[in-house]
């Protein structure tokens, strides 16, 4: 579990740094119209962190890991990340970017994407926490399975990923 906690906390820190980066470059205010497109770029560091977490587990296991053990390692990281959704959401939207919800609601209404009532219901700490937990679990499971498939290695096998 120590391994999962370490990598889950690395993921959490990366998420908070990403939020600060988005705010710093204006994606939470004057460039909010572009936020939806650019926020998805966080998938690159997210997948990289999962890769490193499972690869490190394999390395620590003598360079070998079964699909099952790699998948479980990813699921444990997912568990830590999911638990951290609540503090990450609170820190992100109260300390890092306290005006994000106000700005995104105004933009969504002004651009005709949502009514005022829809924006009010959707853009809230409560909803973002729920979406973060459910989405984080689903993406964590899928990423864990994909990384386990790539990183599984039996003794005697050659792997192009052997660094």
């Amino acid at each position: 579990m120590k391994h999962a906690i370490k990598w889950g906390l690395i993921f959490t820190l990366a998420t908070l740094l990403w939020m600060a980066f988005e705010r710093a470059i204006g994606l939470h205010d004057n460039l909010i119209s572009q936020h939806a497109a650019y926020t998805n770029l966080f998938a690159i560091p997210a997948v990289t962190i999962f890769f490193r977490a499972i690869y490190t587990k394999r390395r620590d296991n003598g360079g070998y890991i079964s699909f099952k053990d790699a998948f479980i390692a990813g699921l444990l990281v997912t568990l830590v990340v999911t638990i951290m959704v609540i503090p990450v959401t609170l820190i992100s939207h109260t300390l890092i970017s306290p005006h994000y919800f106000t700005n995104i609601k105004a933009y969504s209404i002004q651009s005709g994407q949502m009514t005022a009532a829809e924006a009010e219901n959707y853009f809230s700490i409560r909803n973002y926490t729920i979406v973060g937990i459910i989405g984080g679990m689903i993406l964590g499971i899928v990423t864990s399975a994909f990384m386990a498939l790539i990183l599984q290695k039996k003794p005697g096998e050659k792997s192009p990923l052997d660094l």
Side-chain angles (χ1 to χ4, degrees):
M1 202 57 201
K2 184 175 153 182
H3 183 265
I5 291 169
K6 172 189 168 184
W7 286 99
L9 292 177
I10 289 170
F11 191 98
T12 298
L13 179 60
T15 303
L16 292 170
L17 289 171
W18 186 267
M19 289 297 292
F21 172 73
E22 282 187 356
R23 179 168 184 219
I25 65 170
L27 290 175
H28 293 184
D29 44 55
N30 60 332
L31 298 175
I32 203 152
S33 64
Q34 298 173 34
H35 180 262
Y38 288 107
T39 197
N40 291 322
L41 292 175
F42 182 69
I44 296 167
V47 169
T48 301
I49 291 167
F50 266 80
F51 174 87
R52 292 298 304 165
I54 297 171
Y55 183 84
T56 302
K57 186 76 169 174
R58 183 177 96 172
R59 185 196 66 210
D60 294 348
N61 194 38
Y64 308 104
I65 194 165
S66 68
F67 175 86
K68 178 184 171 187
D69 289 343
F71 184 59
I72 289 171
L75 290 181
L76 291 174
V77 173
T78 299
L79 175 65
V80 174
V81 170
T82 301
I83 290 168
M84 295 305 293
V85 165
I86 294 170
V88 164
T89 303
L90 290 172
I91 292 167
S92 295
H93 297 292
T94 58
L95 298 176
I96 295 173
S97 193
H99 302 293
Y100 172 76
F101 287 128
T102 302
N103 294 339
I104 193 68
K105 286 175 193 175
Y107 170 74
S108 297
I109 294 164
Q110 180 185 16
S111 65
Q113 295 175 9
M114 293 182 175
T115 66
E118 290 169 335
E120 192 63 38
N121 286 329
Y122 187 77
F123 298 111
S124 68
I125 287 179
R126 181 182 182 278
N127 192 54
Y128 266 48
T129 301
I130 292 167
V131 169
I133 289 170
I134 294 168
M137 285 189 314
I138 292 168
L139 291 173
I141 291 167
V142 170
T143 303
S144 296
F146 182 69
M147 289 300 141
L149 190 63
I150 291 172
L151 290 168
Q152 67 180 328
K153 183 180 175 193
K154 296 175 184 152
E157 278 185 338
K158 294 274 186 197
S159 171
L161 298 174
D162 289 334
L163 305 174

